[in-house]
Amino acid sequence: MSELRTNVSLRDLNTLRLQSNAACFMSATSVEDVQLSVHEAKERGLSLIALGGGSNVILGPEIEALIVHMNILGRQLLDESDEHVWVRIGAGENWHESVLWAHQNGYYGLENLALIPGSVGAAPVQNIGAYGVEVEKFISQVNVVNGVSGECGRLSNEECEFGYRDSLFKRESGKHWLITSVDFRLAKQPVCSIEYPDLIKMIGDETLTPAGILNAVISLRRKKLPDPSNEPNVGSFFKNPVVSQEHAKTLKDEHNEMPQFSVQDDRIKLSAAWMIDYLGWRGAQEAGVMVSEQHALVLVNKSASFASELIVLADKISESVSRNFHVQLEIEPQMIALDS
Ligand code: NAP
């Protein structure tokens, strides 16, 4: 049974290493612990906020809430057919280790998502995606506790309302759900998805296998992205903006080399990293925060203590992109206990 603690520092529980204090804190290793945290929050009149690997959050300095740290572990095979397996993975399991576990067991599909930092419970929240694959494709069900009533529930894939780096769990209507485990439907036969130029180049003439994709994604990410354990960061800081065809055409007329990708509803996705790089931000530093030399979409905390210092540079980048490309960048990680 987990203990409730007060005035707890979250600095070591967020990969940006920002200073943040939680009024109350519990670590949950079971569904019952999560239910207990709901009860405790209600007793104290506090809101309840779930924290996973802390790799996709920007924490405010003082969090007047009960933080429940999701540490539910376990990976189990639930069912199988000739073609698929259904597995359940605890919200507190590390995402990358779970990708490796699935692959090593011959459960295929998640290879493109290797090395994404964070926990399994966080994966559905922002519908993590990389190299043309989004996790929604493999999620059969998300198991939850209602953060208001404490009741257990399950949400089907459709009920999760997945979108581009988005889901019900990010919206007001879904914020009360606390994810305890995720059920995946994975393939028994190798599935290989390569669409992205970097991945195609890396695989080269090799025969296409899930192991080849896994290794290629791991080496690409290691080469292109700063490791949060050495350089505090939350991966992509901004989402790739999606604009109308007219807007995209105007931009293409001005910048012929600008990468553009068609997405659903005839809209066009732009590369936030390309625009930030084009405007010369790579390597820029301000108030202890730096635009990574390795990847222009990543902000690295060099010496900042608080989220406000990070936001100064993020705002300047957004303003410059807006001024030059008439595109509004949206911050990808979740802001907790911050005004904007
Ligand atoms: P890249 O290959 O240099 O491409 C730049 C951007 O163009 C990517 O963000 C990607 O969008 C988009 N893109 C490239 N090829 C595409 C295609 N064939 N169809 C549609 N969109 C395409 O990307 P990168 O920066 O090295 O990143 C590679 C992958 O890792 C991307 O999927 C990216 O999202 C992912 N990533 C995730 C994080 C994170 O923290 N969550 C950080 C860095 C990179 P998408 O982002 O929509 O895929």
Side-chain angles (χ1 to χ4, degrees), residues 177-194:
W177 294 121
L178 304 164
I179 298 172
T180 54
S181 61
V182 182
D183 294 355
F184 297 89
R185 191 188 75 149
L186 302 172
K188 282 175 153 180
Q189 296 305 315
V191 243
C192 297
S193 170
I194 55 161

Side-chain angles (χ1 to χ4, degrees), residues 18-80:
L18 293 173
Q19 285 190 29
S20 175
N21 264 336
C24 288
F25 179 92
M26 283 177 88
S27 165
T29 55
S30 66
V31 171
E32 291 71 30
D33 280 354
V34 178
Q35 290 176 309
L36 181 65
S37 72
V38 175
H39 174 77
E40 292 285 359
K42 213 185 280 180
E43 288 273 294
R44 288 169 168 71
L46 290 172
S47 53
L48 186 62
I49 299 171
L51 185 65
S55 61
N56 203 41
V57 286
I58 305 173
L59 303 179
E62 294 294 336
I63 306 184
E64 275 306 313
L66 194 161
I67 295 286
V68 54
H69 191 218
M70 291 296 191
N71 285 317
I72 301 177
L73 301 180
R75 303 183 186 110
Q76 67 181 116
L77 178 66
L78 296 175
D79 200 0
E80 61 186 304

